[in-house]
Structures are given as C-alpha cells and as structure tokens.
Amino acid sequence: MARKIGAVIAGAAVAFALVMAIEALGHAVYPVPEGLDFEDPEALAGYVRTLPAGALLFVLAAWTLAAFGGGLVACWIARDKPAVFAWIVGGLILLGAVANLIMIPHPGWFAVAAVVLVMAAILAAARLGGGRGVSS
C-alpha cells in the first residue's frame, strides 16, 4: 500500500514540477505583463485573449508532458497495475486543465487540443509504463 501511495505522490510531484518548469520557460519567452492581477478573472481572460499561439503551446506542452512524465513515474514506482497509476496522476492533470479551461476562457482549438493531448499522454504513459490499459 505504501508503494501505491508513494507512486501517486511521486508522480504528482514530477507532474507539478514539469508544469512549473515548462510554464516558467514559457513566461521567460512570453513575459507576463507587469501589474496583471491573476485574481481578477476579467483581466486574466483579457490577457489570455491576447496571447500568441506560441505562448499557448508552452501551456499545452506543460500539461501534456506533465501527464506523461508524472504518469510514467507513477507506473514505474507502483509496479502492480501500473496503468491505473498513470491514469490517476494523469487524471489529476486533466482535471486541473479542465478546471483552468472552465475558469479562464481559452481559444476553442486550445481547449480541444489540451484535452486530446493530455488524454493521449496518459495513454502513452500507461502503455510505456508496463500497462495495457486500466485493467492491467
């Protein structure tokens, strides 16, 4: 049981670190305007509407690589039914992405790509990590 809990915690930690690192890189390339109030939903929505596609691609990369990397780490640690752990960790990333899409309006292409790419990353991690699906 400790291994399973550790698998989820480690996978989530790796996923979180990947999101932070890749989004920080994105902010270095596409700096956030000074004075942007992240607590103001209207200001944030207005900012997102002005983002170039490249900035949004950094976010897609962050979420996708987090679901894949975190899921893969969880698979490797869990050993027993590894795909389940890829889906748990990847599912957390997917939930976070969907919550973000609900709270902050994004372009339609971005919303579709985010869901599709994160789901594909979870599936890839589950398969590469030793599982053949949730029943493994």
Side-chain angles (χ1 to χ4, degrees):
M1 181 56 100
R3 177 178 288 280
K4 293 176 182 180
I5 293 169
V8 172
I9 292 170
V14 166
F16 180 74
L18 284 168
V19 167
M20 296 297 289
I22 296 167
E23 286 191 4
L25 180 60
H27 289 309
V29 175
Y30 299 98
V32 176
E34 268 191 54
L36 178 65
D37 183 3
F38 283 94
E39 300 296 319
D40 179 359
E42 288 181 28
L44 202 50
Y47 168 64
V48 170
R49 278 193 296 275
T50 67
L51 286 174
L56 293 169
L57 290 176
F58 271 101
V59 176
L60 281 177
W63 294 352
T64 302
L65 292 173
F68 179 75
L72 198 56
V73 166
C75 283
W76 289 336
I77 293 171
R79 292 188 192 159
D80 183 38
K81 298 189 181 201
V84 170
F85 294 91
W87 283 98
I88 291 170
V89 172
L92 293 172
I93 297 300
L94 183 60
L95 285 172
V98 169
N100 187 286
L101 293 169
I102 290 169
M103 292 186 296
I104 305 167
H106 288 76
W109 69 266
F110 177 87
V112 171
V115 172
V116 169
L117 289 172
V118 170
M119 293 286 291
I122 297 167
L123 182 60
R127 292 216 172 138
L128 188 61
R132 293 288 174 241
V134 175
S135 63
S136 292

